[in-house]
């Protein structure tokens, strides 16, 4: 199994606040690596650093063996990384279908920047692809609905559809089930499991719901005050006394 | 409303209507009105070029006066000093100068500052260009350039003498229609949709693999070079080019057209420019209070209809339609 993403010695400070402290994290092809940790542990910050939204204060990040530490986020996206945000980001004034069409067109424009600029409407193939993604994620009924009137959960699914439209190798999801009811959460987990399987993706996920973590993860790292305290197989992590003390113990009632 | 399915029939019918209206003017009105009508056509391009960057890419620029002036001065200088150059070359040179100025401004400021900060920087660069124009001898300093004649276009077999009769007026209408069509393509196609994404949520656009800095820069350069073209077309129409064109206050004109007509609509600035022209004409005899009246009316419209005239029409139309055709039940 070759390594897709490899982050070594990552530090991130915001002024005098040290958020990430010497984080090592790697992800093999086909792996599903879940980063857990309580609120404020630095999960979102780690996502920002890995995806290129911000630069680390120190450390290196490589993607497919290539050093991307100083590469902008859009370049990492172009080399096959799709990411979601803790609060879904979609184009609010556009319909659900248009959101996906813009994503498909962005992928096409990366591959062939000058092709099809004289075409006005989206190409038939692009529209068809967007329609099938819409259907696959159960958003067919929201086709003509502006994203701003979609529910929180529907926006998350739409954002996932936009990421799939990029045909990524690696999908990074920041708390994909945050703020969902238990039923919605289970549906979301099943959906993520399905799309990851069907598209042969690697997954990097942050989460603080333990149910989700153990259903989706093949490897788990625990982030605590900006440090990775444990990393390993789900069973190992579950059995780790330190993890029980700092995390599972306190959250047992929630899961 | 989807942005992925574009209906050219609607756009081209509206454009045909506008062009037809413009072509009638010389047959029914006096020279003063024909002149004003030509200015309105140029203002339509001026306004839409601004709105392409403003509404689609979210770039608020007060540099449009300098782009317009650079185009006008470029054409004015070349026509008066380098008369042997074909007019098409002169126009291309003007567009190039405007695009270059936009490129420099954008590289300087677009990445570092956004929104109002960028607007202020364009204001500063505009002031610099204004001062420069007034200091340069070969641009006529305070007096500007006079005797900017209307050119003859050599098409090989035939020569079009644009100085004869209303020929230059027809040239303005044709070239403006062409530029409006070009901008409509840029507004409606994949490029326009990705610009809209950049404006709507830059972070999301970035993580779709879109280079948002580059997209914004391209939008500004397109806006700047098309605005410069409008200026270059204007120069032989007025036959004089003066430094007032570069004054920052002139940059408020396209913004005014846009807000008046409705920034959300491609033809919003066109409607705004036409209404402004009518208003200007209707109050022409009220010397002194004319500016005040026009200003007051515009303020009233902009404040009372935030979506512009087209926005107002749209919501009225929706209200009329609503009872007769019940909308499909959407998802909650
Ligand atoms: N832009 C920022 N400036 C200053 N502090 C920040 C910034 N972003 C995050 N932090 C701090 O970093 C810590 C980790 O935040 P975050 O990465 O959002 O945690 P998590 O996603 O695990 O809940 C928090 O204490 C937060 O206050
Ligand atoms: Mg977070």
């Amino acid at each position: 199994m070759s390594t897709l993403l490899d982050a070594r010695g990552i530090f991130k400070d915001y002024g005098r606040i040290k958020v990430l402290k010497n984080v090592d994290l790697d992800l093999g092809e086909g792996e599903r690596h879940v980063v857990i940790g309580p609120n404020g542990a630095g999960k979102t910050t780690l996502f920002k650093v890995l995806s290129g939204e911000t630069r680390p204060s120190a450390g290196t990040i490589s993607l497919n063996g290539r050093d991307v530490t100083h590469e902008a986020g859009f370049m990492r996206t172009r080399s096959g990384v799709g990411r979601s945000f803790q609060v879904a980001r979609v184009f609010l004034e556009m319909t659900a279908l248009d959101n996906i069409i813009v994503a498909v067109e962005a992928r096409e424009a990366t591959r062939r920047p000058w092709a099809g600029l004289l075409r006005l409407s989206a190409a038939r193939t692009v529209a068809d692809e967007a329609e099938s993604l819409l259907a696959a994620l159960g958003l067919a009924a929201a086709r003509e609905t502006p994203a701003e009137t979609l529910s929180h959960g529907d926006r998350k699914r739409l954002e996932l559809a936009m990421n799939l439209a990029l045909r990524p190798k690696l999908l990074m999801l920041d708390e994909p089930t945050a703020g969902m009811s238990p039923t919605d959460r289970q549906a979301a987990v099943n959906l993520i499991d399905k799309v990851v399987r069907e598209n042969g993706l690697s997954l990097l996920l942050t989460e603080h719901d333990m149910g989700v973590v153990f259903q989706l993860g093949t490897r788990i790292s625990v982030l605590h005050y900006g440090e990775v305290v444990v990393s390993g197989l789900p069973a190992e992590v579950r059995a780790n006394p330190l993890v029980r003390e700092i995390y599972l113990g306190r959250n047992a009632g929630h899961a | 409303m989807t942005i992925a399915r574009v209906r050219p029939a609607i756009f081209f019918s509206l454009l045909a209507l506008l062009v037809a209206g413009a072509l009638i003017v010389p047959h029914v009105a006096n020279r003063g009105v024909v002149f004003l009508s030509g200015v309105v056509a140029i203002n339509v391009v001026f306004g839409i070029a601004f709105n392409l960057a403003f509404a689609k890419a979210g770039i608020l620029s007060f540099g449009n006066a300098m782009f317009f002036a650079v185009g006008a001065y470029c054409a004015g200088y070349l026509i008066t000093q380098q008369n042997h150059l074909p007019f098409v070359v002169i126009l291309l040179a003007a567009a190039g100068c405007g695009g270059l100025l936009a490129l420099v401004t954008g590289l300087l400021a677009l990445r570092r500052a956004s929104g109002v900060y960028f607007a202020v920087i364009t204001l500063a660069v505009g002031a610099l260009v204004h001062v420069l124009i007034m200091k340069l001898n070969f641009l006529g300093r305070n007096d500007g350039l006079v005797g900017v004649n209307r050119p003859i276009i050599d098409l090989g077999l035939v020569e079009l003498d644009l100085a004869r009769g209303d020929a230059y007026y027809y040239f303005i209408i044709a070239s403006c229609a062409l530029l409006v069509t070009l901008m409509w393509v840029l507004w409606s196609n994949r490029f326009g949709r990705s610009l809209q994404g950049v404006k709507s949520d830059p972070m999301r656009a970035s993580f779709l693999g879109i280079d948002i800095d580059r997209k914004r820069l391209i939008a500004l350069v397109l806006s700047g070079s098309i605005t410069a073209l409008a200026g270059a077309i204007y120069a032989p129409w007025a036959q004089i080019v003066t430094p007032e064109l570069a004054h920052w206050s002139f940059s408020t004109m396209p913004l005014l057209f846009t807000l008046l007509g409705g920034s959300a609509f491609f033809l919003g600035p066109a409607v705004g420019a036409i209404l402004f022209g009518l208003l200007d004409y209707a109050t022409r005899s009220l010397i002194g209070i004319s500016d005040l009246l026009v200003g007051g009316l515009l303020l009233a419209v902009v404040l009372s209809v935030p979506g512009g005239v087209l926005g107002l029409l749209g919501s009225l139309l929706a209200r009329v339609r609503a009872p007769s055709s019940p909308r499909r039940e959407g998802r909650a």
Side-chain angles (χ1 to χ4, degrees):
Chain A
M1 186 165 68
S2 62
T3 305
L4 200 57
L5 180 75
D6 193 14
R8 292 284 140 218
I10 302 293
F11 287 82
K12 178 67 189 179
D13 316 330
Y14 286 112
R16 284 169 53 202
I17 311 167
K18 299 190 187 322
V19 181
L20 297 177
K21 301 157 201 160
N22 198 21
V23 172
D24 290 333
L25 186 132
D26 60 78
L27 181 94
E29 230 168 272
E31 202 174 17
R32 302 166 168 205
H33 195 154
V34 184
V35 177
I36 63 171
N39 271 333
K43 301 182 297 293
T44 296
T45 305
L46 180 62
F47 251 53
K48 288 183 180 174
V49 169
L50 293 178
S51 66
E53 186 183 331
T54 60
R55 303 293 143 86
S57 308
T60 58
I61 301 159
S62 59
L63 198 63
N64 278 319
R66 190 166 49 91
D67 187 349
V68 295
T69 313
H70 301 288
E71 209 173 75
F74 75 91
M75 289 300 287
R76 297 186 206 182
T77 303
R78 289 179 181 185
S79 22
V81 181
R83 79 164 278 201
S84 76
F85 293 81
Q86 192 165 337
V87 176
R89 279 180 178 271
V90 294
F91 302 125
L92 292 175
E93 84 287 4
M94 297 183 199
T95 66
L97 183 64
D98 285 353
N99 266 279
I100 304 177
I101 285 178
V102 169
V104 175
E105 286 185 328
R107 182 197 76 212
E108 292 288 306
T110 299
R111 287 202 314 194
R112 281 171 295 157
W114 296 102
L117 283 177
L118 285 179
R119 181 196 296 282
L120 298 168
S121 299
R124 188 75 256 161
T125 51
V126 169
D128 286 348
E129 187 180 340
E131 295 272 9
S132 63
L133 274 169
L134 205 61
L137 294 206
L139 288 165
R143 192 175 181 275
E144 308 286 341
T145 312
E148 60 197 337
T149 62
L150 291 178
S151 70
H152 181 69
D154 282 354
R155 278 190 212 172
K156 287 226 163 209
R157 275 190 289 164
L158 179 57
E159 194 186 38
L160 183 57
M162 293 166 82
N163 275 310
L164 293 178
L166 304 176
R167 296 191 184 149
K169 291 198 273 290
L170 165 61
L171 196 57
M172 296 176 54
L173 304 177
D174 195 4
E175 303 214 16
T177 70
M180 287 185 181
S181 70
T183 8
D184 286 351
R185 175 167 296 168
Q186 190 53 51
V189 168
N190 293 343
L191 182 67
I192 292 167
D193 186 57
K194 187 175 101 143
V195 299
V196 168
R197 243 177 248 289
E198 285 175 358
N199 298 283
L201 302 176
S202 309
L203 185 67
L204 184 66
L205 195 91
T206 73
E207 189 53 70
H208 65 241
D209 182 90
M210 297 318 284
V212 174
V213 171
F214 289 111
Q215 277 181 68
L216 284 176
T218 57
R219 185 142 63 115
I220 294 169
S221 292
V222 182
L223 200 61
H224 190 59
Y225 290 113
E227 285 177 277
V228 175
V229 288
V230 180
S231 181
L233 298 172
E236 293 168 11
V237 171
R238 207 199 293 255
N240 187 291
L242 185 63
V243 174
R244 288 184 165 272
E245 188 193 321
I246 63 170
Y247 196 71
L248 288 176
R250 262 196 304 163
N251 273 272
H254 278 264
Chain B
M1 264 301 274
T2 176
I3 54 167
R5 175 148 316 139
V6 183
R7 280 158 300 179
I10 295 178
F11 168 74
F12 283 111
S13 335
L14 290 172
L15 184 67
L17 211 67
L18 291 177
V19 170
L23 293 182
I24 291 171
V25 171
H27 302 287
V28 296
N30 62 37
R31 298 201 71 84
V33 175
V34 173
F35 181 78
L36 186 66
S37 174
V39 171
V40 167
I42 291 167
N43 278 343
V44 165
V45 174
F46 193 24
I48 295 177
F50 164 80
N51 200 39
L52 185 64
F54 178 65
K56 269 291 180 186
I59 300 171
L60 176 59
S61 150
F62 280 106
N64 295 64
M66 74 177 172
F67 300 141
F68 193 94
V70 161
Y73 268 95
C74 190
Y77 176 77
L78 292 177
I79 288 172
T80 50
Q81 306 298 321
Q82 308 283 331
N83 209 2
H84 59 276
L85 286 175
F87 191 47
V88 177
V89 172
I90 292 175
L91 289 179
L92 288 177
C97 288
L100 198 67
L101 184 59
L103 184 71
V104 171
T105 312
L107 285 176
L108 261 176
L110 212 44
R111 194 187 288 244
R112 255 161 271 177
S114 59
V116 173
Y117 297 99
F118 179 73
V120 170
I121 291 172
T122 58
L123 216 52
V125 178
L128 202 73
V129 170
H130 185 231
V131 168
L132 211 62
I133 284 174
M134 294 212 296
K135 295 271 183 251
L136 290 175
N137 278 327
F138 75 100
L139 294 181
R141 302 180 74 102
N142 286 336
D143 301 328
L145 302 170
V146 291
V148 183
N149 294 322
R150 294 169 191 171
I152 294 171
I153 296 184
D154 188 356
L155 292 175
L157 291 177
V158 278
E159 279 193 341
L160 290 177
D161 185 355
L162 297 183
R164 291 233 312 266
D166 291 319
Y168 197 76
Y169 176 76
Y170 293 119
F171 171 78
I172 290 177
I173 300 303
S175 50
C176 287
L178 207 68
L179 287 173
V180 168
T181 305
L182 172 71
M183 288 190 281
W184 176 74
V185 169
L186 293 168
W187 174 284
S188 314
N189 69 359
R190 183 181 84 196
F191 172 76
R193 283 188 285 275
S194 73
L195 274 191
Q196 187 171 331
V198 170
K199 183 197 174 191
S200 172
D201 191 330
M203 192 72 83
R204 176 32 75 210
S206 229
F207 286 105
L208 293 180
I210 296 172
D211 184 348
I212 58 172
D213 290 327
R214 185 151 178 269
K215 274 280 171 346
R216 287 199 180 112
L217 189 61
I218 294 174
L220 185 70
V221 169
L222 283 169
S223 175
S225 49
I226 294 171
T227 301
L229 262 176
I233 294 169
Y234 173 78
W237 188 230
Q239 298 185 310
I240 176 172
V241 178
T242 58
E244 278 89 78
L245 293 179
H247 193 255
W248 69 269
S249 58
F250 190 52
S251 282
T252 59
M253 298 302 287
L255 182 59
L256 209 67
F257 303 149
T258 298
L259 294 181
L260 191 58
S263 67
F265 303 87
F266 175 77
L267 285 177
V271 170
I274 293 166
L275 284 177
F276 183 84
L278 290 174
L279 222 57
D280 206 25
Y281 182 73
T283 58
R284 72 195 178 286
S285 54
L286 310 168
I287 299 158
I289 61 165
S290 140
D291 281 353
L292 213 64
L293 203 67
V294 171
L297 264 172
L298 291 174
L299 195 66
V301 171
V302 169
L303 286 180
S304 58
V305 268
V309 173
L310 290 183
L312 184 68
L313 279 178
S315 56
L316 287 180
L317 215 66
R319 205 175 298 169
V320 173
R321 273 190 197 164
S324 55
S325 66
R327 289 175 57 121
R328 261 185 307 140
E329 209 55 51
R331 262 174 71 101

